[in-house]
């Protein structure tokens, strides 16, 4: 205990905002993705049962963007130890980390997930393409104001159901992934948009990823369970969330095929589903030196009995990463190998 307090005291000395007399924290704190939250919570509970003296890790669902902001704010006991993320860390976030002295970070891909679009069991919408989703949700599709009121306005083959989509806020990694995986590809396929990307990337991004604000897309916060409840009780409504929430609610929801591919374990694992994405945790290495249970938490997350096919995290809805990806990330977890921040573009 004395050595741990000495180690944390050294950390506190690097964080000028903290009082020198502050007591060292021994309980792990993780913030970030609502998609990763249930998996991190399950790991925390397993770890606490096996190591009761370490205490139950504090896991907060803040959204990936907000979690990264907290994580990168500094080193010391008032800052989180781990960031959960439903997308990879951004270059802007690595710069924020570096500015605040967070220079040693380990990136661990813990598995995969898919951005699922779903409706209540009685929903009549089907046969969506990525282009349909872009034309329904973009604020200015291909540079023009979005006037579409129904899905039929988007595509004459679709029913005249009002466009009402519940999804995550801008702080969410799921929102970022929606923009990157679902909206950008059909936008960029347009020749004029591809040319715009070369001449004015900021304008291209605004046109291809900006989501409408006229009520067709409703921000439902970082609680994906709330989105599930909304669409299950609202005829015609569509929800956007991590695949695990679709898998957990088969009696309430039905997934929507995108480009003819249904969201499923196999379609996401094979990347055939266009919304497939990796999931990550980021570890603040300086904190791991002061709080030994961080290594215990990371070790539990990367056990084959947790993250491999058939593991307890996969049983909760996570998609196991390929064998070679797990092997590489298990090694990074054991060594807490620092990420090359300059490599993030």
């Amino acid at each position: 205990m004395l050595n741990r307090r000495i180690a944390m005291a050294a950390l506190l000395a690097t964080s000028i905002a903290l009082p020198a007399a502050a007591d060292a924290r021994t309980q792990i704190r993780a913030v970030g993705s609502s998609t990763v939250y249930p998996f991190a919570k399950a790991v925390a509970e397993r770890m606490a049962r096996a190591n009761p003296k370490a205490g139950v890790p504090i896991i907060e669902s803040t959204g990936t963007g907000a979690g990264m902001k907290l994580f990168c704010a500094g080193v010391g006991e008032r800052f989180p130890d781990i960031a959960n993320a439903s997308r990879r860390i951004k270059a802007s976030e690595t710069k924020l980390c570096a500015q605040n002295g967070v220079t040693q970070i380990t990136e661990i891909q813990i598995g995969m997930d898919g951005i699922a679009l779903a409706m209540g069991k009685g929903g009549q919408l089907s046969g969506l393409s990525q282009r349909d989703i872009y034309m329904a949700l973009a604020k200015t599709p291909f540079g023009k104001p979005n006037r579409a009121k129904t899905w039929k306005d988007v595509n004459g083959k679709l029913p005249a159901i009002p466009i009402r989509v519940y999804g995550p806020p801008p702080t969410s990694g799921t929102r970022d992934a929606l923009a990157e995986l679902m909206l950008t590809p059909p936008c960029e396929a347009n020749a004029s948009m591809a040319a715009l990307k070369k001449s004015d990337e900021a304008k291209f991004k605004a046109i291809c990823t900006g989501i409408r604000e006229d009520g067709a897309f409703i921000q439902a916060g970082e609680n994906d369970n709330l989105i599930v409840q909304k669409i299950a009780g609202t005829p015609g409504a569509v929800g956007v969330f991590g695949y695990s929430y679709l898998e957990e609610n088969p009696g309430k929801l039905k997934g929507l095929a995108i480009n003819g591919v249904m969201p499923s374990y196999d379609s996401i694992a094979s990347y055939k589903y266009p919304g497939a994405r990796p999931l990550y945790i980021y570890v603040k290495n300086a904190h791991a030196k002061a709080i030994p249970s961080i290594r215990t938490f990371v070790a539990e997350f990367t056990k084959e009995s947790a993250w491999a096919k058939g593991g307890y995290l996969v049983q909760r809805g996570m998609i196991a990463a390929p064998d070679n990806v797990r092997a590489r990330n298990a090694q990074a977890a054991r060594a807490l190998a620092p990420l090359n921040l300059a490599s993030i573009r």
Side-chain angles (χ1 to χ4, degrees), residues 1-10 12 22-26 290:
M1 176 63 76
L2 179 60
N3 290 339
R4 192 155 61 236
R5 287 182 178 276
I6 291 172
M8 185 55 90
L12 296 180
D23 289 333
R25 171 169 58 79
T26 59

Side-chain angles (χ1 to χ4, degrees), residues 112-114 243 247 261-277 309-310 314 317-322:
M112 297 175 61
D113 182 47
Y243 168 74
E247 189 175 65
V261 181
M262 286 292 291
S264 69
Y265 185 100
D266 291 337
S267 67
I268 294 169
S270 65
Y271 280 98
K272 290 180 181 178
Y273 180 67
R277 59 176 174 170
K309 193 167 185 177
V314 174
M318 193 172 77
I319 310 298

Side-chain angles (χ1 to χ4, degrees), residues 44-282:
E45 290 167 356
R46 289 271 181 140
M47 176 189 145
R49 285 198 297 269
N51 304 273
K53 291 183 179 179
V56 181
I58 300 169
I59 313 295
E60 300 174 55
S61 178
T62 64
T64 298
M68 283 295 185
K69 187 175 181 180
L70 291 167
F71 179 80
C72 290
V75 174
E77 72 166 329
R78 69 190 181 98
F79 302 106
D81 312 307
I82 293 170
N84 302 321
S86 57
R87 52 139 173 97
R88 201 176 192 205
I89 192 170
K90 296 178 179 179
S92 59
E93 291 163 343
T94 64
K95 290 177 182 177
L96 177 63
C97 274
Q99 289 169 5
N100 291 318
V102 184
T103 56
Q104 297 284 304
I105 301 169
T106 295
E107 175 186 79
I108 303 166
Q109 183 184 333
I110 55 166
M112 297 175 61
D113 182 47
I115 304 166
L117 272 69
M119 302 184 79
K121 274 294 188 181
Q124 299 300 309
L125 191 62
S126 63
L128 294 179
S129 68
Q130 285 170 287
R131 181 184 171 87
D132 295 335
I133 297 168
Y134 174 68
M135 295 299 291
L137 297 185
K139 184 176 183 178
T140 54
F142 304 119
K144 299 178 181 179
N146 198 333
R147 308 294 187 196
K149 300 296 184 183
T150 72
W151 288 96
K152 191 174 183 64
D153 295 335
V154 167
N155 180 341
K157 296 180 180 179
L158 297 176
I161 298 172
I163 299 169
R164 188 173 181 81
V165 179
Y166 289 90
T171 53
S172 169
T174 299
R175 172 75 167 260
D176 292 335
L178 172 67
E180 178 185 349
L181 300 176
M182 293 294 187
L183 305 185
T184 298
C187 178
E188 193 171 10
N190 179 281
S192 62
M193 292 297 103
L196 180 63
K197 184 178 182 180
K198 295 178 181 179
S199 62
D200 190 339
E201 189 166 1
K203 187 175 181 180
F204 165 83
K205 186 175 181 180
I207 292 174
C208 289
T209 67
I211 293 180
R212 58 197 300 184
E213 301 169 345
D214 58 356
F217 183 88
I218 304 102
Q219 293 184 25
E222 295 289 357
N223 186 345
D224 288 351
N225 282 315
L226 178 60
I227 299 178
V228 170
Q229 294 170 15
K230 286 285 188 182
I231 65 171
T234 309
V238 174
V240 180
F241 39 63
Y243 168 74
S244 63
Y245 289 87
L246 174 60
E247 189 175 65
E248 288 175 0
N249 294 277
K252 297 179 181 179
L253 309 177
K254 70 170 188 176
L256 299 178
I258 309 299
N259 296 350
V261 181
M262 286 292 291
S264 69
Y265 185 100
D266 291 337
S267 67
I268 294 169
S270 65
Y271 280 98
K272 290 180 181 178
Y273 180 67
R277 59 176 174 170
L279 302 177
Y280 300 91
I281 61 172
Y282 290 89

